[in-house]
Amino acid sequence: MLARVREFFAERGVLEVETPALSAAGISDPAIESITARLGGRKHYLQTSPEYAMKRLLAAGLGDSYQICRVFRNGELGRWHQPEFTLLEWYRTGWNETALLDEVELLIELAVGEAVLTGPGTRLSYAHAFERYLGTDPHGDLSGLPGKLAELGIDVPAGLDRDALLDLALSEVVIAGLEPDALTFIYDYPASQAALAEIKPQTPPVAARYEAFAGGIELANGFRELTDAAEQRRRFQTELETRHARGQPAQPLDEAFLAALEHGLPPCAGVAVGVDRLVALAAGLGNVAAAMSFAHE
């Protein structure tokens, strides 16, 4: 599979790169916890993604690039999550998220093989997916959503905020309802879930973001990348405030990444693909631990 992936990018003139796995900066996303390491008496962080480092290369003028690397996330251990896993990440300069989505589809189909994804591919907007599987507008009033989930036998914890409620509905109902033997892309996520993506100025505004699913699992997460350094800093600060409110440890911001954005990140689109999940899907395995060369007990 890795040989096919590398050949795919070589044919398209996309350069393979390698960036550091250890950083003095952490990640502010409240949904992700870094694994820390001590180096010379100072706290460092193992990468949860090579995104920041690869964007620094883009800002320096490198151009289209990809990386296959190990990444690390604390507190993730389950059927489809491991604290150490392999990520494929790539960036295309001058592309928007739709153009890259087309390439992601080709790459995934090549990686897992025709015998696995036998159904026709589907593309649904986030709004259309919620309307189809829950009869709910995810951009509108969600007061009735907890009741609908409860009717389906889904436990809805008290105190969920809007995005947490949507995430629960997406994972337990929408994704579960997708065709297991087909590749499905869900795009135009709520603006509040943009992460490092641009916001499309429409009504309602949505994120230039998509995810790919097959076999009931997420395989890829892609964006038209945010290039505004001030807006990115504002989002990071908001995430740090959320971490503080939840009692999560504070993380030092990656100032080198923010400086690269200020220097100038070219318009681009990027995506991260979980390689272990691709292997599990291709081999018909029921979890990612079985797909990994080193599984954590």
Side-chain angles (χ1 to χ4, degrees), residues 101-170:
L101 186 154
D102 293 338
E103 189 169 67
V104 173
E105 184 172 25
L106 291 173
L107 185 282
I108 291 176
E109 290 174 346
L110 174 72
V112 302
E114 295 179 357
V116 176
L117 298 174
T118 57
T122 304
R123 301 183 183 188
L124 296 170
S125 71
Y126 192 92
H128 188 184
F130 269 77
E131 178 62 37
R132 173 182 292 187
Y133 293 101
L134 279 162
T136 296
D137 177 7
H139 304 297
D141 179 16
L142 298 183
S143 59
L145 184 55
K148 290 184 179 182
L149 295 177
E151 289 174 3
L152 295 171
I154 298 168
D155 179 41
V156 182
L160 292 183
D161 63 23
R162 183 182 182 89
D163 283 322
L165 180 62
L166 288 172
D167 284 345
L168 178 65
L170 180 71

Side-chain angles (χ1 to χ4, degrees), residues 29 49 51-52 55 89-92 95-101 104 189-190 193-200 207-211 218 220-226 232 235 267-272:
D29 188 341
S49 159
E51 179 168 5
Y52 297 173
K55 286 181 176 176
E89 191 150 330
W90 78 94
Y91 293 88
R92 290 294 214 154
W95 288 30
N96 63 20
E97 74 282 7
T98 304
L100 186 59
L101 186 154
V104 173
Y189 276 63
Q193 299 180 29
L196 283 84
E198 291 275 6
I199 302 295
K200 295 182 178 180
R209 174 189 173 195
Y210 59 85
E211 291 186 308
E218 176 201 337
N221 185 19
F223 307 146
R224 171 158 38 98
E225 302 295 341
L226 179 64
Q232 187 62 76
R235 292 187 193 179
C268 60
V271 64

Side-chain angles (χ1 to χ4, degrees), residues 9-295:
F9 288 118
E11 289 174 349
R12 290 161 173 77
V14 180
L15 180 68
E16 182 172 11
V17 299
E18 182 177 89
T19 56
L22 198 62
S23 173
I27 184 166
S28 56
D29 188 341
I32 300 175
E33 290 295 341
S34 301
I35 294 176
T36 61
R38 288 286 175 180
L39 184 64
R42 294 180 56 197
K43 181 185 285 188
H44 283 67
Y45 303 84
L46 290 171
Q47 66 176 355
T48 60
S49 159
E51 179 168 5
Y52 297 173
M54 292 184 73
K55 286 181 176 176
R56 288 170 62 186
L57 293 176
L58 291 172
L62 181 73
D64 297 343
S65 61
Y66 78 98
Q67 184 168 183
I68 300 169
C69 61
R70 287 289 199 178
V71 297
F72 308 85
R73 299 184 182 184
N74 206 355
E76 298 200 7
L77 185 62
R79 185 181 177 195
W80 296 112
H81 297 85
Q82 289 285 299
E84 176 185 356
F85 59 98
T86 302
L87 199 65
L88 162 64
E89 191 150 330
W90 78 94
Y91 293 88
R92 290 294 214 154
T93 56
W95 288 30
N96 63 20
E97 74 282 7
T98 304
L100 186 59
L101 186 154
D102 293 338
E103 189 169 67
V104 173
E105 184 172 25
L106 291 173
L107 185 282
I108 291 176
E109 290 174 346
L110 174 72
V112 302
E114 295 179 357
V116 176
L117 298 174
T118 57
T122 304
R123 301 183 183 188
L124 296 170
S125 71
Y126 192 92
H128 188 184
F130 269 77
E131 178 62 37
R132 173 182 292 187
Y133 293 101
L134 279 162
T136 296
D137 177 7
H139 304 297
D141 179 16
L142 298 183
S143 59
L145 184 55
K148 290 184 179 182
L149 295 177
E151 289 174 3
L152 295 171
I154 298 168
D155 179 41
V156 182
L160 292 183
D161 63 23
R162 183 182 182 89
D163 283 322
L165 180 62
L166 288 172
D167 284 345
L168 178 65
L170 180 71
S171 62
E172 296 295 329
V173 181
V174 176
I175 297 173
L178 301 177
E179 292 295 331
D181 61 349
L183 187 60
T184 301
F185 288 91
I186 296 178
Y187 62 90
D188 284 357
Y189 276 63
S192 58
Q193 299 180 29
L196 283 84
E198 291 275 6
I199 302 295
K200 295 182 178 180
Q202 59 188 56
T203 304
V206 295
R209 174 189 173 195
Y210 59 85
E211 291 186 308
F213 302 91
I217 55 175
E218 176 201 337
L219 299 175
N221 185 19
F223 307 146
R224 171 158 38 98
E225 302 295 341
L226 179 64
T227 59
D228 185 328
E231 170 61 15
Q232 187 62 76
R233 184 179 291 277
R234 187 196 66 78
R235 292 187 193 179
F236 282 166
Q237 293 294 347
T238 299
E239 289 177 339
L240 288 178
E241 291 169 5
T242 300
R243 293 183 71 87
H244 178 73
R246 295 179 180 178
Q248 296 172 271
Q251 305 283 21
L253 295 183
D254 193 329
E255 293 294 344
F257 166 59
L258 291 169
L261 290 186
E262 290 174 0
H263 174 74
L265 181 69
C268 60
V271 64
V273 177
V275 175
D276 306 290
R277 293 184 180 187
L278 290 183
V279 173
L281 182 66
L285 303 174
N287 60 77
V288 289
M292 297 177 66
S293 59
F294 179 77

